[in-house]
Amino acid sequence: MKLATLKAGGRDGTLVVVSRDLSTCIEAPKVAATLQGALDTWAEAAPRLEVIYQALNAGTLHGARPFDPAAAAAPLPRAYQWADGSAYVNHVELVRRARGAELPQSFWSDPLMYQGGSDSFLGPCDDVPLADDATWGIDFEAEIAVITDDVPMGVPAAAAGRHIALMMLVNDVSLRGLIPGELAKGFGFFQAKPSSAFSPVAVTPDELGGAWNGGSVDLPLLSFLNGAPFGKPNARADMTFDFPALIAHAARTRPLGAGAIVGSGTVSNKQNTAHGSAIADGGVGYSCIAEVRMIETINAGQPTTPFMRFGDRVRIEMLDGDGATIFGAIDQRIVRYEAPQ
C-alpha cells in the first residue's frame, strides 16, 4: 500500500491512497482525514485503506485523479517524533575522521541517534531555503526511514519490527560548517540540522517484496547532484543496525507514539582499499558530499568537491528490480531564504 499527503487541507494536509505506479490517487475521508489520523488507529485503518488501494490499482474506483508529487507534502508534514540513527557506522567513521575525531569502539555495538526537529518537514519537491551557502557547508544525506505504530517502552529488537507501519526516503539536510561548533558544546545537533524532506509516498513494507527481510532493504539508494549520478549504495550492505534495532534503541526508556519516524542515517557502503579502513568509490558512490570529501582528503590531502550552493539540485530515489520507482523521488533545489515581510 502507498499513501501520501496532499498540501491542501491545513497543516497536516489531506491523506490520499496512491496507486502502485504513482499515477493516480484518491482521498479516504471515511477512514481518516490525515495520515496521522490513520496511524492513531492503524490496526483498524490499515485494512480499510488496503481495500481502497487494491481497487485503485484495479481501476475500479470512481473519483480517482492524477497524483502530482509537487502537490504533496511530506507524508507526515509534522510528526510527534523524528529520531535519526546512524545505522551505517562506516559513514560515522568517515565524517568523524573529517573532523579529526576518533571512532569509539562502542559505536559498533550501541547505535548513535539524535532527536531532530519534526514540526516543519519539507515536501519532496519543495525548495530547501537557507540563509548562507558560503560557510554553512550545505549537504544532503540520502536515507531510509520507518514510521511506527504505538511502540511500548523497552520493546526488544526481536519484537520491534512488527511495529513498522510504513517506510519512506529522507533527505536529512546537514550544515557541515555548523556541526563542529555545535558538537563541541557537548549537547548535540540543533542549528546544523534544518528541516528534513521526505519522499512523495510512504509505503507498507510488503511493497518492497523480496527486497525487505523485516529489518533492511536489499536495493540501491540512488542520489543525483545537479542531474549527475552521485551514489547508489545498497541499503542492506554494511548496515550495522537494522530498523528493529534502531526502534528498540529509541524506545529503551520511553514509548514511541504512533507516527514516530525513525531514520537509518546516511546509507553508506564500505570498500577495502590501500588506505586501511577508508572507503573507495567501488562503483557505488556516496549518499552525501561529506563522505566523498573525506575520501579526497585521504587520497590527495584535501577535498575538492564543494558543498551545495544556491541553485544546486539533489534527487533521491529507489527503484525496484524492474526499474520502477517505489517511493517516488525527492527532488529539491537549494535556494536563498527570504524572510517574510
Side-chain angles (χ1 to χ4, degrees), residues 274-307:
H275 299 283
S277 62
I279 293 182
D281 188 323
V284 300
Y286 308 92
S287 294
C288 68
I289 296 171
E291 282 197 9
V292 71
R293 284 171 60 90
M294 186 62 228
I295 296 306
E296 289 169 347
T297 300
I298 292 171
N299 292 339
Q302 62 181 6
T304 57
T305 300
F307 287 117

Side-chain angles (χ1 to χ4, degrees), residues 16-340:
V16 290
V17 181
V18 183
S19 61
R20 180 170 285 114
D21 64 2
L22 307 190
S23 64
T24 60
C25 66
I26 193 166
E27 295 179 21
K30 293 183 178 180
V31 181
T34 66
L35 181 54
Q36 182 62 55
L39 289 160
D40 287 340
T41 58
W42 189 244
E44 296 78 27
R48 297 173 65 190
L49 292 170
E50 178 68 27
V51 170
I52 297 172
Y53 179 63
Q54 295 301 334
L56 182 63
N57 287 326
T60 59
L61 281 183
H62 296 292
R65 62 183 190 271
F67 175 65
D68 178 11
L76 284 172
R78 53 182 178 173
Y80 293 115
Q81 181 73 261
W82 163 225
D84 197 19
S86 277
Y88 301 86
V89 177
N90 185 64
H91 166 75
V92 182
E93 181 179 21
L94 272 181
V95 295
R96 285 181 68 88
R97 288 180 65 181
R99 300 197 302 266
E102 293 296 322
L103 183 76
Q105 194 61 34
S106 63
F107 282 22
W108 293 99
S109 56
D110 188 26
L112 284 175
M113 186 168 285
Y114 83 93
Q115 191 173 41
S118 58
D119 54 336
S120 62
F121 290 142
L122 298 174
C125 300
D126 290 349
D127 289 338
V128 181
L130 296 167
D132 184 328
D133 70 341
T135 64
W136 282 5
I138 303 168
D139 201 356
F140 69 91
E141 293 191 51
E143 307 183 8
I144 304 170
V146 298
I147 304 175
T148 73
D149 61 11
D150 287 299
V151 181
M153 182 172 69
V155 66
R162 67 184 64 142
H163 293 285
I164 297 173
L166 295 163
M167 305 184 69
M168 308 180 287
L169 302 183
V170 190
N171 178 16
D172 181 40
V173 182
S174 291
L175 305 179
R176 303 293 183 188
L178 303 184
I179 287 176
E182 284 205 298
L183 293 186
K185 297 177 181 179
F187 220 53
F189 300 121
F190 196 87
Q191 294 179 344
K193 291 289 187 175
S195 298
S196 297
F198 294 84
S199 52
V201 300
V203 312
T204 48
D206 61 284
E207 290 292 331
L208 296 166
W212 174 249
N213 67 356
S216 61
V217 183
D218 188 16
L219 287 170
L221 182 58
L222 310 177
S223 57
F224 303 82
L225 183 57
N226 294 325
F230 195 88
K232 54 179 181 179
N234 183 280
R236 178 170 297 165
D238 305 307
M239 190 179 195
T240 310
F241 306 101
D242 64 11
F243 281 109
L246 293 174
I247 294 169
H249 179 83
R252 182 184 179 193
T253 60
R254 70 180 82 178
L256 303 180
I261 304 172
V262 179
S264 68
T266 307
V267 176
S268 180
N269 286 175
K270 187 169 185 174
Q271 304 286 336
N272 293 323
T273 74
H275 299 283
S277 62
I279 293 182
D281 188 323
V284 300
Y286 308 92
S287 294
C288 68
I289 296 171
E291 282 197 9
V292 71
R293 284 171 60 90
M294 186 62 228
I295 296 306
E296 289 169 347
T297 300
I298 292 171
N299 292 339
Q302 62 181 6
T304 57
T305 300
F307 287 117
M308 299 179 76
R309 304 297 294 265
F310 297 142
D312 285 346
R313 183 177 292 275
V314 61
R315 181 181 176 93
I316 299 169
E317 192 170 18
M318 180 174 279
L319 308 180
D320 64 19
D322 295 323
T325 190
I326 299 172
F327 302 90
I330 298 172
D331 194 343
Q332 300 183 284
R333 193 168 51 103
I334 306 298
V335 300
R336 184 184 297 277
Y337 171 70
E338 299 292 343

